[in-house]
Structure formats: C-alpha cells, structure tokens
Amino acid sequence: INDIEINDIIEDSTIEEKIHLEERIENLQKIKQNCGITWFESQMVREYYNNQKTYRKIEEEYGLDHCLVFKTVKTAIKKMIDYSQNN
C-alpha cells in the first residue's frame, strides 16, 4: 500500500476520483499500521497485492511454502477487515 503512486493508477481520471482514491489509500495505510499485523504479514500482503505476485512466485523468491504465504496473507487481511469494522 505504501508503494502506490496515485498518478500511476489513474492518469485519465478526474480530480474527484483521484482525491477519493487518495483517501481510500490513506485509510488503508492507517488500518495497516494499527490493526496489529506483523512485519512478515505486511510484507506478504505487499508482495501479493501491491506487487501482484502469485503465492507460488512468493514461495520461489522467499523460499517459503506457498501454503504458509496463503495463510499469512489471509490472516493479515482478516486482521485488517476486523480492525476496520470495529473502529
């Protein structure tokens, strides 16, 4: 989430759409910082979502089992959703 550049995502969008996207990214960053996920969980989420890598690709690059990567991403996302729903 920290690596996202607004202009790279929606070059042809209106100012209102860019502002809305900036607000959403800011909210996601706050959730990520405050929801209690670990550095490792954060890293796996970044690789999977921001860098759009498959579980198998992450497995290859980090030397981890793809099942561990899947469970880690799933757990981190659950923590983020739970936090956002309760705060």
Side-chain angles (χ1 to χ4, degrees):
I1 296 172
N2 295 336
D3 304 332
I4 297 174
E5 288 291 329
I6 302 301
N7 294 331
D8 293 341
I9 296 174
I10 51 174
E11 294 174 1
D12 298 329
S13 300
T14 66
I15 296 295
E16 291 83 12
E17 289 171 322
K18 287 183 180 182
I19 290 171
H20 179 68
L21 182 59
E22 286 176 356
E23 290 171 348
R24 289 184 65 205
I25 290 171
E26 185 177 305
N27 287 338
L28 285 172
Q29 288 172 336
K30 287 178 185 177
I31 290 168
K32 187 176 165 190
Q33 290 171 354
N34 297 315
C35 71
I37 64 174
T38 66
W39 176 87
F40 180 71
E41 290 169 330
S42 177
Q43 189 66 23
M44 294 300 102
V45 167
R46 179 178 295 117
E47 293 290 353
Y48 185 72
Y49 286 103
N50 294 25
N51 299 335
Q52 299 179 346
K53 295 180 182 175
T54 64
Y55 297 122
R56 297 280 184 182
K57 183 69 175 171
I58 298 169
E59 173 186 45
E60 289 175 18
E61 291 182 8
Y62 285 81
L64 302 168
D65 181 71
H66 68 277
C67 293
L68 172 64
V69 176
F70 169 77
K71 289 177 184 177
T72 301
V73 170
K74 184 177 176 181
T75 299
I77 296 302
K78 182 176 180 348
K79 286 180 184 179
M80 293 172 71
I81 290 170
D82 290 348
Y83 178 84
S84 68
Q85 290 176 343
N86 295 319
N87 294 297

